Amino acid sequence: MSEPTLEEIGDYDTLKGEKKSIVWSVVIGGLFLGVIYVVSSSYFSEVDDKIKTEDSIKYIPLK
């Protein structure tokens, strides 16, 4: 079985029919998942009980 060439591919210039709807559904699904991720990460990432820390090490001596 050999690889198809560009001339053998029927919809090389434009996507038509079922392939076009599959590509659009994947793009819209990806955007939808991205929106859900951004909204959920901004909603659930707020922490109410933060602990204040200070970095007391200013200089690390070399041996």
Side-chain angles (χ1 to χ4, degrees):
M1 188 181 273
S2 64
E3 294 288 326
T5 62
L6 294 178
E7 289 80 20
E8 294 173 354
I9 298 176
D11 58 349
Y12 173 68
D13 293 328
T14 59
L15 288 176
K16 296 178 185 173
E18 184 181 359
K19 288 184 180 181
K20 187 173 186 176
S21 64
I22 290 173
V23 169
W24 277 111
S25 64
V26 168
V27 169
I28 291 172
L31 289 173
F32 182 70
L33 289 176
V35 168
I36 289 175
Y37 174 75
V38 168
V39 169
S40 64
S41 67
S42 67
Y43 181 73
F44 291 114
S45 67
E46 295 187 21
V47 178
D48 295 334
D49 58 347
K50 295 180 182 176
I51 299 174
K52 185 178 178 183
T53 59
E54 294 183 16
D55 189 12
S56 62
I57 301 173
K58 301 291 183 193
Y59 174 73
I60 300 175
L62 299 175
K63 289 186 176 185

